Amino acid sequence: METNKHIIICVGRQLGSGGHDIARMLALDFGAKYYDHELLDLAAKESGYSEKFFEKNDERRGIFRSLFHMHSAAVPDDNLYLNGFSQDSLFKFQSDAILKAADEGSCVFVGRCADYVLRERKDVVSVFISASKRFRIDQIMAKQHLDVPAANKFIKQHESQRASYYNYYTGKKWGAAESYDLCIDASVLGLQATEKIIADFIRKRFGL
């Protein structure tokens, strides 16, 4: 169902919860553009810096621990610090890309603190998608080709980075109900039914 109304949907998600798939379904449902890793390309184009910087920094803090191990051809200048290039600069470039995309039309943003970046807008709804640990482990095992212990470790490591990134830049708590308009467990009814519930919530929220 496409709508002429300008709607911005921000999707936070636990690793392995199916959040990416649900976000794509929402984008199709509302005729909106989908932004996940696409935001990294947008931010790179807006800033003039290599997309590799944004990939290294993607929803994690501490890029400068690994930044200078990259090939020098990817570095825009010999001294990034003298140019004012920092972790916060990367976040600012990414935020600018989010703001620009939101101005251009209806969007579904996955992660990257989009709910915080767009907090002043009235056409934004924020959703957090969780799932049971067993569901998430099964998803990660299938996608990453890992066994149970490795999948569990993968989830813990990446979610710790994601939570730290979100908490640092937003001043809110990642995954906490009070940080979002709607929180839902996708493992209860499955991805398609969960998407329908979220879509119905959004339609009622905006009177569609």
Side-chain angles (χ1 to χ4, degrees):
M1 169 190 158
E2 292 192 16
T3 174
N4 292 325
K5 192 164 186 176
H6 197 130
I7 295 174
I8 309 297
I9 305 168
C10 300
V11 179
R13 72 284 181 224
Q14 285 187 312
L15 203 67
S17 65
H20 291 90
D21 294 330
I22 291 172
R24 286 189 182 278
M25 286 187 271
L26 287 168
L28 287 172
D29 208 346
F30 288 94
K33 289 187 177 180
Y34 173 87
Y35 291 100
D36 183 7
H37 292 287
E38 293 83 355
L39 270 175
L40 307 182
D41 181 54
L42 274 179
K45 288 178 180 177
E46 289 297 309
S47 67
Y49 287 103
S50 168
E51 188 177 348
K52 291 183 180 180
F53 289 138
F54 296 92
E55 290 174 352
K56 287 279 186 180
N57 183 57
D58 194 20
E59 291 192 298
R60 65 173 68 90
R61 295 177 60 206
I63 185 175
F64 288 106
R65 285 197 297 269
S66 58
L67 183 62
F68 292 102
H69 294 292
M70 293 167 57
H71 192 278
S72 59
V75 180
D77 193 277
D78 289 336
N79 195 323
L80 297 176
Y81 288 107
L82 290 179
N83 281 338
F85 191 94
S86 68
Q87 185 92 30
D88 290 342
S89 297
L90 291 175
F91 181 77
K92 177 63 165 58
F93 292 139
Q94 187 169 267
S95 297
D96 288 345
I98 290 171
L99 289 166
K100 182 176 181 180
D103 281 339
E104 292 176 350
S106 294
C107 303
V108 176
F109 294 107
V110 178
R112 297 169 184 86
C113 304
D115 58 324
Y116 176 76
V117 174
L118 301 169
R119 64 194 181 280
E120 300 298 332
R121 298 181 65 111
K122 303 298 183 184
D123 53 359
V124 175
V125 60
S126 61
V127 178
F128 188 84
I129 299 168
S130 62
S132 69
K133 192 65 173 290
R134 182 71 257 178
F135 181 93
R136 295 162 59 212
I137 287 176
D138 287 344
Q139 294 294 309
I140 296 301
M141 286 174 63
K143 291 182 179 180
Q144 300 294 330
H145 308 292
L146 301 173
D147 59 16
V148 172
N152 192 47
K153 182 179 179 181
F154 184 89
I155 289 172
K156 287 182 178 179
Q157 178 184 351
H158 286 77
E159 284 202 341
S160 176
Q161 293 173 344
R162 188 175 290 176
S164 176
Y165 181 87
Y166 184 88
N167 296 348
Y168 176 77
Y169 282 110
T170 69
K172 300 192 292 182
K173 187 175 180 180
W174 180 81
E178 61 268 23
S179 298
Y180 309 90
D181 297 314
L182 175 68
C183 295
I184 189 166
D185 185 335
S187 61
V188 176
L189 297 177
L191 303 190
Q192 291 186 337
T194 298
E195 189 275 339
K196 291 185 183 300
I197 291 171
I198 296 171
D200 187 51
F201 173 84
I202 293 169
R203 292 186 183 103
K204 290 181 178 178
R205 167 76 179 269
F206 294 113
L208 300 177

